Amino acid sequence: MKGIFLALVMAVATFLIAGLAFNTQHATLFGIIVFLVALWTNEALPLGVVSLLPIILFPSLDIISTNATVANYSKSTIFLFLGGFMLAIATQKTELHKFISNKLLTLFPNTPRGVLFSLSITSAFLSSLISNTTTALLLIPIAMFLTDNIKLKMRLVLAIAYGASIGGIVTPIGTPPNLILLGFMEQHAIEAIPFIKWMVLTGPLALAMLIVVPFVLSLGVEDLSFEKELSDNLKLTGEQKRLMYILGSLVILLLVNSKIEPYYSGLGLNEKGILLGYGLLMFIPKIGFLTWDDSRKIPYEIIFLFGAGFSIAAAFSQTGLASEIANYLLVLTDLPVILLILIVASLITFTTEITSNTALISIALPIIYSLNEVANVDITLILMVATICASYAFMLPIATPPNAIAMSSGAVKVKDMSKYGIVFNIVGIIFVTITALVYWQYIL
């Protein structure tokens, strides 16, 4: 009850302060958002319960109607992620992730620096296929096993957490902010970024981060020997081979389906349907690997969280609050593009440190989009910058799920995460800005 009371006090205080600059409806929306973020943060109520509260609060407090709110919990983008969850559960059930991890771990020397690089890359690779939250949960126990040296163990855990965030941006299903952006683009009739094109856009950025982050983490670490949890003699089982073939066919289908303008128009299939279809394929006897009991492992609270995020974005747009904030920010659009991107990247990165990246990007996207209505800016580019930077917050546990999981391991302290995180935040802002200016703006 203490956490709920504190959230209410913060919400009322926000309402009163916001009322000085905004009308009552907008001030109320600010208060609701602070209330939701506080409950997500202090976990006074389960994540799924808090994520369903907009269905009650928005119509009750005259923000948007019940139907307008509920519609956001069934957006097609959510079903893309649902299919991804099913594939992730099948990967875990067959233990294919252990085989992949083992192979990647053996690519580097058995030294602290080598293991830091291998864990970062393994984490990033798996996060591009399954959620970064799942990846962190799967790999951090391995890091905890590899050494008893507290200093090294802390760096190994951070390498996995940071690697998961770095790799999560590579595909649309790697992390929630990516899906929120795709849902937002669909909502505003902006041409969606195809799966493969997304990977082409984000791959170079992730690669650059994967060079810098483990290198910095390895500075000053003395040589130690490691015990590997995974055997070098692991062989693919029949089930694992079948799942590899299925995942391979999925990648091929996504490639063939992708447009390469003006040379190739693709198959025209809906990627959300493709991912959901492959997820449902996991339940077909003698082809898939799952039973309906396995569906209990689907994190439905995350799906509800998406719905809450889309609802917040819809409320910002439909009440006109996004446009009003955009008017205050109009001065930014007079700046050179490089400064505009740097400011957006910095604001999103450091604001994410004190709130959920999912909640923040849900609020930020409609505000940024509204700039398009009052100034001539490449809005898709700015939206992409904001979305990626929401995942590239490395300083505090609350910023991203992998950060929180790293902290829960007991091997990492807040001061350790902050010390390395502020360096990687700055590196991420610089890399995202450079990538946006010299690469994205010519492809998006």
Side-chain angles (χ1 to χ4, degrees):
M1 288 300 295
K2 182 179 178 182
I4 298 175
F5 178 74
L6 179 61
L8 283 171
V9 170
M10 293 173 64
V12 171
T14 300
F15 169 77
L16 294 174
I17 294 171
L20 300 176
F22 297 92
N23 63 38
T24 301
Q25 185 188 42
H26 292 166
T28 302
L29 179 54
F30 274 123
I32 293 173
I33 291 170
V34 168
F35 180 66
L36 294 173
V37 170
L39 290 178
W40 277 325
T41 303
N42 64 27
E43 299 180 345
L45 290 172
L47 177 67
V49 172
V50 179
S51 299
L52 290 171
L53 287 178
I55 299 175
I56 298 173
L57 295 177
F58 282 177
S60 299
L61 297 174
D62 197 29
I63 304 299
I64 55 177
S65 69
T66 301
N67 288 342
T69 307
V70 170
N72 294 287
Y73 289 79
S74 59
K75 284 189 173 295
S76 58
T77 302
I78 289 176
F79 292 93
L80 179 147
F81 207 55
L82 183 61
F85 277 138
M86 293 172 183
L87 292 171
I89 293 169
T91 302
Q92 295 169 46
K93 187 173 182 178
T94 60
E95 297 190 336
L96 179 60
H97 67 283
K98 287 190 176 181
F99 177 85
I100 295 171
S101 300
N102 177 68
K103 291 301 179 184
L104 290 173
L105 281 168
T106 57
L107 293 177
F108 291 85
N110 190 24
T111 64
R113 177 165 289 174
V115 173
L116 281 164
F117 268 91
S118 63
L119 286 176
S120 295
I121 292 170
T122 299
S123 181
F125 178 76
L126 289 176
S127 290
S128 68
L129 302 174
I130 60 179
S131 78
N132 56 7
T133 304
T134 301
T135 297
L137 287 169
L138 291 173
L139 293 185
I140 282 179
I142 297 174
M144 298 292 286
F145 174 86
L146 288 174
T147 180
D148 292 325
N149 183 285
I150 296 174
K151 181 180 177 183
L152 183 54
K153 186 179 291 189
M154 175 268 292
R155 298 188 190 204
L156 294 177
V157 170
L158 286 179
I160 290 172
Y162 292 162
S165 293
I166 291 168
I169 70 154
V170 175
T171 63
I173 62 173
T175 187
N178 299 356
L179 286 166
I180 291 174
L181 173 61
L182 292 180
F184 183 85
M185 294 174 76
E186 178 184 24
Q187 188 176 20
H188 290 82
I190 303 172
E191 184 179 356
I193 303 172
F195 202 100
I196 299 301
K197 183 177 180 180
W198 183 290
M199 294 176 66
V200 171
L201 287 167
T202 56
L205 172 62
L207 180 61
M209 291 293 290
L210 283 174
I211 293 172
V212 173
V213 169
F215 177 78
V216 172
L217 287 173
S218 68
L219 294 176
V221 178
E222 65 279 8
D223 285 342
L224 292 170
S225 60
F226 290 91
E227 269 185 80
K228 290 189 179 181
E229 181 182 17
L230 301 174
S231 168
D232 290 335
N233 298 317
L234 267 183
K235 303 289 185 182
L236 277 173
T237 66
E239 281 194 334
Q240 290 171 338
K241 287 181 180 178
R242 190 164 79 249
L243 181 54
M244 284 278 283
Y245 294 145
I246 292 172
L247 293 176
S249 70
L250 171 60
V251 172
I252 292 171
L253 179 57
L254 289 171
L255 282 168
V256 174
N257 189 56
S258 296
K259 290 191 293 186
I260 307 176
E261 295 179 343
Y263 307 105
Y264 178 62
S265 59
L267 297 178
L269 300 176
N270 188 295
E271 288 188 341
K272 304 172 187 71
I274 292 174
L275 263 293
L276 180 60
Y278 267 81
L280 295 176
L281 187 65
M282 296 297 99
F283 293 91
I284 296 179
K286 298 185 179 180
I287 295 177
F289 313 89
L290 306 180
T291 65
W292 188 246
D293 286 342
D294 292 313
S295 67
R296 297 174 183 174
K297 298 176 184 176
I298 295 174
Y300 292 103
E301 68 276 10
I302 300 298
I303 292 174
F304 294 152
L305 181 63
F306 291 150
F310 292 144
S311 297
I312 290 171
F316 262 73
S317 297
Q318 293 180 32
T319 61
L321 179 56
S323 296
E324 190 167 344
I325 295 175
N327 285 328
Y328 287 118
L329 298 177
L330 183 59
V331 63
L332 297 179
T333 61
D334 295 327
L335 299 173
V337 175
I338 184 172
L339 286 180
L340 176 60
I341 291 175
L342 268 174
I343 291 171
V344 170
S346 301
L347 283 174
I348 295 296
T349 298
F350 285 100
T351 306
T352 301
E353 297 292 356
I354 57 172
T355 187
S356 152
N357 61 355
T358 303
L360 177 69
I361 204 63
S362 299
I363 298 167
L365 291 182
I367 294 173
I368 293 170
Y369 180 76
S370 294
L371 290 174
N372 192 45
E373 300 173 5
V374 293
N376 183 25
V377 295
D378 185 351
I379 205 63
T380 305
L381 179 65
I382 307 301
L383 291 173
M384 188 72 176
V385 167
T387 301
I388 299 305
C389 286
S391 293
Y392 277 16
F394 303 102
M395 283 179 61
L396 296 175
I398 191 176
T400 65
N403 286 11
I405 294 166
M407 185 63 59
S408 69
S409 71
V412 179
K413 296 180 180 178
V414 174
K415 66 177 183 179
D416 297 321
M417 187 175 286
S418 299
K419 180 178 70 173
Y420 287 106
I422 191 167
V423 174
F424 299 141
N425 276 10
I426 294 170
V427 170
I429 290 167
I430 293 171
F431 281 7
V432 169
T433 300
I434 293 172
T435 304
L437 288 173
V438 304
Y439 183 40
W440 290 349
Q441 70 172 331
Y442 299 109
I443 296 179
L444 280 172

